[in-house]
């Protein structure tokens, strides 16, 4: 992974870092907590301009987010509801509640979601499904991404040879997020199965 990123940055410079971040939005297994600090470290050695790194990585974030927004827009509300209706344990009402929540809190979710591992990529899809005005989506994504990217690029810039420390600590945070998501899914499944059992017992009476 690191060798590939180093080669990309050596070949393309700051635009290479931006390309890596754009791909990270589309393929979350490519971790920004590796790409950004490495880009900052590379800038600290004078091999890339620091401002250019911040500009291109933020541009890459926005381009990747817009691509996923487009996926959500193509999917649309009707198709999302149709897919939900076919999923086991999922009710159309669940999607409608999520939709109502997103309509109330969508702007904050897009902005702060850009700074949460895993969700920073996925949040663009519901924004597209709900057809959030693309200008607002782009501005919020740019602002949130600029904050996230600057923190990690500057961490790599200041840490120098120790830039990999960033990955270690953020990896812990990512695991916590994954654990919370897994717990929520388990609770959802348990509650929904319990509701089904109660419904069956009630229908037999």
């Amino acid at each position: 992974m690191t060798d590939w990123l180093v080669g990309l940055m050596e070949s393309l410079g700051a635009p290479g870092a931006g390309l890596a971040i754009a791909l990270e939005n589309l393929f979350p297994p490519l971790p920004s907590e590796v790409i950004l600090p490495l880009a900052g470290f590379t800038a600290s050695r004078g091999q890339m301009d620091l401002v250019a790194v911040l500009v291109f990585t933020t541009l890459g974030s926005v381009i990747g987010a817009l691509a996923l927004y487009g996926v959500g827009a193509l999917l649309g509300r009707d198709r999302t509801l149709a897919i939900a209706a076919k999923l086991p344990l999922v009710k159309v009402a669940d999607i409608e509640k999520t939709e109502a929540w997103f309509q109330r809190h969508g702007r904050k979710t897009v902005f702060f979601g850009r700074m949460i591992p895993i969700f920073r990529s996925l949040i663009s899809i519901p924004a597209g499904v709900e057809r959030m005005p693309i200008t607002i989506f782009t501005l919020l994504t740019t602002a949130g991404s600029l904050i996230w990217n600057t923190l990690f690029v500057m961490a790599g810039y200041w840490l120098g040879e120790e830039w990999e420390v960033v990955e270690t600590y953020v990896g812990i945070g990512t695991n916590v997020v994954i654990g919370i998501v897994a717990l929520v899914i388990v609770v959802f499944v348990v509650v929904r199965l319990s509701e089904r059992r109660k419904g069956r017992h009630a229908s037999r009476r």
Side-chain angles (χ1 to χ4, degrees):
M1 171 70 74
T2 303
D3 292 340
W4 175 78
L5 290 171
V6 170
L8 188 63
M9 293 180 196
E10 286 179 348
S11 301
L12 302 177
L19 175 60
I21 287 296
L23 293 174
E24 179 263 341
N25 277 262
L26 300 174
F27 306 101
L30 291 172
S32 63
E33 58 265 27
V34 174
I35 300 168
L36 295 170
L38 177 57
F41 167 58
T42 304
S44 73
R45 300 178 64 184
Q47 297 176 339
M48 292 193 297
D49 180 74
L50 181 60
V51 174
V53 168
L54 294 174
V55 170
F56 278 103
T57 54
T58 300
L59 181 61
S61 295
V62 174
I63 291 173
L66 286 172
L68 290 177
Y69 176 96
V71 170
L74 287 173
L75 184 62
R77 182 177 184 274
D78 292 339
R79 288 181 183 173
T80 302
L81 292 175
I83 293 171
K86 296 177 182 178
L87 294 175
L89 304 180
V90 177
K91 298 178 181 178
V92 172
D94 296 328
I95 303 300
E96 291 174 339
K97 288 177 183 177
T98 302
E99 178 183 38
W101 185 90
F102 193 86
Q103 288 175 348
R104 292 195 301 271
H105 307 288
R107 295 187 179 190
K108 290 181 288 187
T109 303
V110 168
F111 175 73
F112 289 108
R114 295 302 306 174
M115 294 173 266
I116 301 175
I118 300 175
F119 288 101
R120 63 189 308 271
S121 296
L122 299 179
I123 193 59
S124 302
I125 296 177
V129 171
E130 293 301 318
R131 298 299 178 92
M132 173 182 283
I134 196 165
T135 301
I136 293 174
F137 173 79
T138 302
L139 289 173
L140 292 171
T141 299
T142 300
S145 298
L146 180 59
I147 293 172
W148 174 270
N149 293 354
T150 299
L151 287 174
F152 282 87
V153 168
M154 295 310 299
Y157 187 87
W158 288 322
L159 287 170
E161 297 284 351
E162 302 296 322
W163 67 269
E164 291 180 334
V165 172
V166 178
E167 180 186 1
T168 301
Y169 285 103
V170 176
I172 295 172
T174 300
N175 290 335
V176 170
V177 172
I178 293 173
I180 292 172
V181 171
L183 179 61
V184 170
I185 292 173
V186 169
V187 171
F188 173 81
V189 171
V190 170
V191 170
R192 193 49 50 85
L193 288 174
S194 177
E195 289 176 351
R196 281 195 173 185
R197 290 195 192 97
K198 290 179 181 178
R200 288 171 185 168
H201 288 314
S203 63
R204 291 173 184 171
R205 294 177 182 175

